[in-house]
């Protein structure tokens, strides 16, 4: 079998996999405030859903203040956050899980 045929077979196999079974690095959504999402990764979930989770987490986190924390579920995902802060910004790393589905994001929030 030629290399081209092997490559074509491998590509066909990957395309045949459902999108939800793959891990993907997604383009982060536009940040709805003073800051930005720096990365977004989706595992067993679509990039579209991952973006919705990221925005829902931001809304939950900033409900009371710019430097707030989210303590409730977002879109039925349970989220945990690790962050570092300096006087002018917050840098956060968030992992949201729902069963085997996982959304990971990082952000920088200017304070």
């Amino acid at each position: 079998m030629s290399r081209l045929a092997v490559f074509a077979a491998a590509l066909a196999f990957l395309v045949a996999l459902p999108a939800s079974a793959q891990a993907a690095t997604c383009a982060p959504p536009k940040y709805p405030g003073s800051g930005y999402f720096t990365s977004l990764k989706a595992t067993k979930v679509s990039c579209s859903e991952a973006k919705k989770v990221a925005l829902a987490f931001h809304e939950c986190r900033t409900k009371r203040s710019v430097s707030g924390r989210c303590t409730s579920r977002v879109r039925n995902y349970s989220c945990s956050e690790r962050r570092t802060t300096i006087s002018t910004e917050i840098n956060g790393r968030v992992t949201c899980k729902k069963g085997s589905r996982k959304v990971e994001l990082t952000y920088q929030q200017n304070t």
Side-chain angles (χ1 to χ4, degrees), residues 44-80:
K44 294 188 178 182
V45 63
S46 70
C47 284
S48 174
E49 176 66 11
K51 289 178 184 184
K52 290 175 185 175
V53 171
L55 291 170
F57 179 82
H58 175 270
E59 182 179 335
C60 175
R61 189 180 65 77
T62 59
K63 188 177 279 186
R64 290 188 170 72
S65 76
V66 171
S67 59
R69 294 208 179 249
C70 181
T71 57
S72 60
R73 289 180 175 262
V74 293
R75 297 184 64 85
N76 275 337
Y77 285 78
S78 177
C79 300
S80 62

